[in-house]
Amino acid sequence: MNGNSTRVQPEKANEPEKLHTMKLQGSIWHSLQEMEVLENAGTSVQQGLTSEEIAKREKQFGANTVSRKKTAGLFVLILSQFNQPLVYILIAAGIVTALLKEYVDSIVIFGVVLANAVIGFVQEAKALRAIESLAKSMTGAATVIRDGTKQRIQAVALTVGDVVVVQSGDEIPADLRLLLAYELQIDESALTGESLPAAKQTQPLPSDTVLADRSNMAYSSTLVTHGTGTGIVTATGNTTEVGKINRMIASADVLATPLTLKIAHFSALLLYIIGGLALVTFLIGFLRGKPALDMVMAAVALAIGAIPEGLPAAVTITLAIGVAKLAKRNAIIRKLPAVETLGSTSVICSDKTGTLTLNQMTVEEIFAGGNVFKVTGAGYAPQGEFRLNEKAIDAGSDIPLRECLVAGLLCNDSNLISDNAGGWKIEGDPTEVALITAARKAGISRESAGENLPRIDTIPFESQFQYMATLHEDTDTSNRIIYMKGSAESVLSRCTDALTNNGETGLFDLERYRGMINEIAGKGLRVLAFARRILGSGSDRITHEDVAGKMTFLGLQAMIDPTRPEALEAVKTCKTAGIGVKMITGDHERTAMAIARSIGIEDNDGINDGSSVLNGKRIAQMTDDELISSVRSTSVFARVSPGDKLRLIQALQANGATIAMTGDGVNDAPSLRQANIGIAMGITGTDVARETADMILTDDNFASIVAAVEEGRGVYDNLIKFILWTLPTNFGEGFVIIAAVAAGIALPIIPVQILWINMTTAVLLGLMLAFEPKEPGIMTRSPRLPSDPMLAGHLIFRLCLVGALLCAGAFGLFEFSLQAGHSEAAARTVASNVFVFGEIFYLFNCRSLQHSIFKTGLFSNMPLIFGVGTMTLLQILFTYAPFMNTAFHSEPIAPTDWLFIIGVGAVIFIIIELEKTIQNRFILSKTVK
């Protein structure tokens, strides 16, 4: 039923046995006839449910609320932050330093542990707010008919079978099967992704109709933008479409990031290695007759030396620095590991509306007087020009074009308003606003046109007729003029002639116009037709009979939500970087394909018939294996439901892809949670989407995602640089201890000195690599695969080489100092400085994984230069300040000792630079072959 004549016959309802015979099959309500709906629901439109029946159903169906998933308690949530191998290492280091009575170092280590735990707890607590936001979105009031009277109740009290009345501005309180609909339009974008309000009707639909096309249903949490309607509640709370999304959010897997997995594996392996080496060290010394206590201390020294105490803190701080960089590029990170995940993204799944497009409908082509005019300018700003045959024209002087624009301007109930910031706001339907903008580009304002042609009467748009018509008075002639706009078929069927190029009426060539409509629609544009009829003076009313025929065809206006200018370049950058881009939208196939081709997601060949698009209906019919195979070669997915999106993400992940998924609606929340990194829109996004996501775009722009991926790659590179820099020190310190025990001599460095080296250099030297600029060509590399090792083979070789050089330098100079007559304290001071200055020289090697420091630029990372200077001053204090000598058992050394120390560092630097040169030539030769 449509229009204002919709009625339903009275029905006996609310019989006691009806509750037991209700066939509440939520997925098929849209396919039922009206009387079947009433019979299944056990109600009537006129009377609604009785109080007695309501009480029964409340017990059966419960409250109209979304259940909140039971989460872990506060104590469990806090403890879970410590359940990580890297944290085990830090705790072990803290305990050991406490046992050694080095309480300051112990406090620092445990401080890092607590800081990591606090950050993790805060981020996880924020993530759990998503379902709470969803529950809040279902609170509010509803107008119902109960016991034969209309009343206002809390939405939470609704039950299945309730008769609900809605009007413009209302939020739909539960899932409804519509039985009355008068000009009803509902914004379902948060649920379906459809960019325009959906026109509603009441007739049954095929059972396999996808969610976005169920025009006789109204779904919970969507918004009525126009008209009125009455519907029967078919689902409440958890059984609504929004409730199903809630369950999908709860069930979607939260995946660990690639780096998190690799570091966890590495840390677990390191625990075993350190424990094994410590045991071996103890046994070697003990079997050689050394005192057990001395060997315990040697084993402890080995463990402390081999543990990379600064690694967890460095990872956290490096990611935090990445967060700050991303914020400057319109990306807000909610979960720290997401920064690194961005760098390994191999597929970006993007919504269309507002992300790849402007979310501002724009007229791009006009057919009038037999000519096709191109309209420049994108969005609602009335700036642009009209072109005919690639030449700019004066639109106001072309009579058919002007009349077509006037018809779109006057047969219109929306408004375009300039705001104080120099932008534009809209009131009403985006399609109508696009018509206003087009007219204003031609210099035709509503004020001037309305002054000459004031409106007298209106036939509002109804889905039954598919057109709108307005009656105007021509102030010059007192004639009445009818302007009509609507779907192409509805307008063309009422026309008998057409406005020709010279402004006269002429032949109405229906086949030509239909061919033009098909050609324009084939480009993915939405087409509206326009007509007029000039009447005599006197009549102040307009009826459907007045526009049933004798209309003069004025032309067509074709519009689309245009792509963002930067989206084309961003997609191109993705392809260069080896990142796949897939569009997942609730929009129609042709529109989706047109946008995909215009920005390079799809190749611009063949016809745009949507044949290469995978739609929701086909997805629903596929098995998981079929879908996993199909997603490899398909880039555009249209008319998809929330469940379809979740399946698509899972299918892509089954192919080994690391997925970044964008979304703004409630319908996107499950897939945002399932994706390796969920990206919500900051401007148009719902609270549910933002709370579920890992990252929020402040400008809703696809190009910002690509910029974030670039930053993510830079952050990952810097993390690898830190790991590559810090591990040789740990290995070198461990090797020195083992070598000393094996040789049966005093330890070249003792535990407290090892702690000093590890903690100070990690903060002042290693962390400075987090400020390293991005490597050249970072977006021309292919994405990292999840199976790729954290360190490539040649980097492991470099790591071992530097560790061996540090061990040899420290051990050698320690022995040399002893033989020169220095005390053990002085010799250990020399060995400690070998490690620190060896790390300083090697730090410059690590500024680029491949390129020479001379290509990188010595002063392109000033925080690093500051760190080196500060560390140098601290080592001078470590060597010469009496209080430091006491605390760390160091001793002043001769100036000549510094020559040997600096010499070891310089040798390490030169050898690694030569190694990088050889590696680059080897890689180049393989590439050439």
Side-chain angles (χ1 to χ4, degrees), residues 340-636:
E340 179 272 325
T341 309
L342 280 166
S344 58
T345 297
S346 58
V347 175
I348 299 175
C349 295
S350 177
D351 189 18
K352 175 184 70 68
T353 305
T355 309
L356 294 169
T357 66
L358 292 171
N359 197 20
Q360 297 182 12
M361 294 298 288
T362 304
V363 174
E364 292 191 343
E365 291 187 15
I366 298 177
F367 174 74
N371 294 318
V372 178
F373 300 90
K374 303 290 185 181
V375 187
T376 65
Y380 295 134
Q383 299 166 356
E385 60 183 15
F386 293 79
R387 292 181 169 272
L388 178 61
N389 298 324
E390 304 300 326
K391 294 182 179 179
I393 64 159
D394 178 10
S397 63
D398 188 288
I399 297 174
L401 175 58
R402 180 180 176 83
E403 274 297 292
C404 187
L405 291 168
V406 168
L409 180 66
L410 296 181
C411 189
N412 196 313
D413 286 330
S414 299
N415 290 299
L416 177 65
I417 304 168
S418 175
D419 61 27
N420 296 329
W424 297 88
K425 298 187 299 183
I426 72 169
E427 289 181 353
D429 186 88
T431 299
E432 289 192 329
V433 175
L435 301 175
I436 297 172
T437 300
R440 292 189 61 167
K441 288 178 181 178
I444 308 169
S445 68
R446 175 170 282 174
E447 292 74 20
S448 61
E451 185 177 344
N452 297 326
L453 295 164
R455 185 191 294 192
I456 302 172
D457 197 18
T458 303
I459 298 177
F461 177 87
E462 297 179 39
S463 56
Q464 177 181 357
F465 297 103
Q466 293 293 308
Y467 64 76
M468 172 185 178
T470 53
L471 178 65
H472 301 263
E473 178 186 4
D474 187 334
T475 56
D476 294 331
T477 64
S478 297
N479 286 334
R480 301 297 192 257
I481 301 178
I482 299 172
Y483 284 113
M484 171 190 280
K485 80 166 187 292
S487 68
E489 283 302 318
S490 67
V491 173
L492 290 176
S493 65
R494 291 165 170 79
C495 293
T496 54
D497 55 23
L499 195 65
T500 63
N501 199 32
N502 59 10
E504 302 292 332
T505 55
L507 178 66
F508 179 68
D509 190 346
L510 181 60
E511 291 306 313
R512 181 189 179 193
Y513 303 146
R514 282 177 172 166
M516 181 58 64
I517 291 166
N518 290 333
E519 180 183 337
I520 296 173
K523 302 174 186 176
L525 278 71
R526 184 183 184 190
V527 182
L528 291 180
F530 299 84
R532 78 177 184 191
R533 182 181 179 188
I534 300 177
L535 306 172
S537 59
S539 176
D540 291 336
R541 299 288 297 171
I542 183 175
T543 66
H544 289 291
E545 288 73 20
D546 294 321
V547 295
K550 299 182 180 180
M551 301 295 293
T552 299
F553 177 67
L554 298 178
L556 308 168
Q557 293 196 48
M559 64 190 69
I560 198 169
D561 181 8
T563 58
R564 290 180 176 269
E566 59 272 28
L568 177 61
E569 188 61 33
V571 171
K572 184 179 178 182
T573 301
C574 284
K575 290 190 172 184
T576 302
I579 300 170
V581 180
K582 297 184 185 292
M583 179 193 294
I584 303 178
T585 178
D587 221 330
H588 293 278
E589 287 93 330
R590 284 196 174 194
T591 303
M593 181 57 74
I595 295 296
R597 284 183 170 155
S598 68
I599 60 177
I601 292 178
E602 278 285 320
D603 294 330
N604 289 294
D605 53 3
I607 58 172
N608 184 18
D609 60 359
S611 58
S612 57
V613 179
L614 198 58
N615 62 32
K617 186 178 293 186
R618 290 168 61 193
I619 292 171
Q621 295 167 351
M622 288 182 170
T623 65
D624 288 344
D625 289 340
E626 289 172 338
L627 188 59
I628 289 170
S629 177
S630 295
V631 295
R632 296 174 192 149
S633 57
T634 306
S635 297
V636 182

Side-chain angles (χ1 to χ4, degrees), residues 46-118:
Q46 288 78 13
Q47 295 298 314
L49 298 175
T50 65
S51 299
E52 181 183 355
E53 186 71 12
I54 291 166
K56 292 178 181 179
R57 297 193 182 194
E58 285 179 344
K59 290 181 180 179
Q60 180 176 356
F61 300 110
N64 180 32
T65 57
V66 172
S67 299
R68 302 187 185 188
K69 182 182 178 183
K70 186 177 181 180
T71 57
L74 183 65
F75 183 69
V76 174
L77 199 59
I78 293 172
L79 283 182
S80 67
Q81 307 306 316
F82 299 94
N83 187 26
Q84 303 173 44
L86 277 179
V87 175
Y88 298 157
I89 295 176
L90 276 180
I91 292 174
I95 292 172
V96 169
T97 51
L99 291 175
L100 292 172
K101 298 183 180 181
E102 300 296 336
Y103 300 117
V104 173
D105 296 301
S106 182
I107 290 171
V108 170
I109 293 171
F110 281 117
V112 171
V113 171
L114 289 174
N116 282 329
V118 169

Side-chain angles (χ1 to χ4, degrees), residues 758-779:
N758 290 357
M759 299 305 292
T760 56
T761 58
V763 173
L764 292 173
L765 300 181
L767 280 180
M768 299 304 108
L769 289 170
F771 298 97
E772 199 62 36
K774 292 183 289 293
E775 299 259 359
I778 197 169
M779 289 300 282

